[in-house]
Amino acid sequence: MTSAVFHYLGPAFAVLLFARIDVLGVAWLRCASAALVFALWRRPWRVWARSSGRRRRLLLALGVVLGLMNSSFYLALERLPLGTVGAIEFLGPVLLAALGLRTARNACALFIAVGGVWLLTDVHLAAEPLGLAFAFGNCALFVLYVVLGHRLAADGGASGIDRLGAAMLVAMAVVAPVGIGDAAEALTSPVLLVSAFGVGICSSVIPYVCDQLAMARLPRATFALMLSLLPATAVAVGFAVLAQTPTWLELAGVALVVAGVAIHQERSAVPPPSQGSQPSPP
């Protein structure tokens, strides 16, 4: 829930940046400000120094995914409505949740949550092929983020945050060739720099840290379904911060998403089959 709330506070800071800086410049500033926070907080280069070759490849992969995912999200948002980009983005988590289902109860939970997301995102595919390409690319990268993020969190939340910091440094380097030039204006403006740090902290530090702590405790399918809370919190944040009153359809969508998450049952909570059901030995 904390991740979902802060995920949508970031765009409030990004409004000022979009008015002055091109899209890829904003993407680089988001990664760079988050990387600086992790560098001062977690000293992620120590994780890199003591990591095995396999772990380093995982860090590099996640860093590349984070950089490309943030860039493709902004590039899609430049060409398509937020509802369309959001709807396409959640196709990935829905697929992950479906792959992890093993009971009729969880299938029902997924069906209800998808219905809520559908109502909230007001799905409509605009005639913008390049924008759709970026949106579907962002969807695929979001799936990779969930998969790689779970591997990163396998050893526990705190160590996962250290490795997340190292991956964010990689993301900053990945976006730098295409974004640092567009971001140059912000480097000489205190107001723009403060806004950039607001975007980085709200969009890439607090949510990703919370994701790591959640991934260390939740099965991947459960976490993927919980991501359907994001559109619901978008409506709540829009109402509280931007005075955007939700429609009855949006309120119905929120109710469906909350119901779907409440109904979902983790795999560990499913009772094992009775011993009496096993065939007796001959």
Side-chain angles (χ1 to χ4, degrees):
M1 284 296 299
T2 303
S3 173
V5 169
F6 277 91
H7 182 82
Y8 285 102
L9 287 179
F13 290 99
V15 171
L16 176 62
L17 295 180
F18 277 122
R20 298 280 298 274
I21 303 171
D22 287 342
V23 174
L24 291 177
V26 176
W28 182 79
L29 285 169
R30 170 180 171 174
C31 294
S33 57
L36 179 59
V37 171
F38 280 117
L40 296 175
W41 176 30
R42 308 300 298 190
R43 309 293 197 276
W45 48 84
R46 296 181 298 187
V47 173
W48 179 269
R50 62 174 180 261
S51 294
S52 63
R54 179 178 177 276
R55 179 60 54 76
R56 289 180 179 179
R57 288 191 293 272
L58 176 61
L59 293 174
L60 287 173
L62 182 61
V64 171
V65 166
L66 287 173
L68 295 179
M69 182 177 70
N70 291 334
S71 300
S72 61
F73 175 78
Y74 284 141
L75 288 168
L77 203 58
E78 186 184 30
R79 295 166 171 84
L80 293 172
L82 178 60
T84 301
V85 178
I88 294 173
E89 183 176 46
F90 285 108
L91 292 175
V94 164
L95 176 62
L96 285 178
L99 292 175
L101 296 179
R102 292 295 183 271
T103 67
R105 171 174 170 170
N106 286 351
C108 179
L110 178 62
F111 180 78
I112 292 174
V114 170
V117 171
W118 181 273
L119 289 178
L120 284 168
T121 52
D122 187 26
V123 180
H124 58 285
L125 298 180
E128 175 56 70
L130 185 58
L132 289 176
F134 284 126
F136 279 104
N138 176 62
C139 172
L141 290 164
F142 198 61
V143 172
L144 288 176
Y145 162 70
V146 174
V147 173
L148 295 174
H150 259 89
R151 294 181 183 178
L152 208 67
D155 296 334
S159 57
I161 295 172
D162 293 337
R163 293 192 289 272
L164 173 63
M168 190 58 67
L169 289 173
V170 175
M172 178 184 68
V174 168
V175 185
V178 295
I180 195 170
D182 294 334
E185 182 178 353
L187 302 180
T188 60
S189 171
V191 175
L192 292 178
L193 279 178
V194 169
S195 298
F197 270 91
V199 171
I201 292 172
C202 289
S203 300
S204 293
V205 177
I206 296 177
Y208 291 165
V209 168
C210 290
D211 286 350
Q212 278 296 304
L213 297 174
M215 288 175 180
R217 293 162 172 79
L218 296 174
R220 190 172 68 189
T222 301
F223 179 79
L225 184 67
M226 291 288 287
L227 289 176
S228 62
L229 285 170
L230 287 172
T233 56
V235 173
V237 170
F239 176 73
V241 178
L242 303 176
Q244 296 175 343
T245 305
T247 65
W248 285 108
L249 281 178
E250 289 172 327
L251 291 175
V254 171
L256 287 175
V257 169
V258 172
V261 173
I263 292 173
H264 177 77
Q265 185 178 41
E266 293 187 28
R267 187 178 304 171
S268 59
V270 178
S274 171
Q275 294 295 327
S277 62
Q278 301 293 330
S280 57

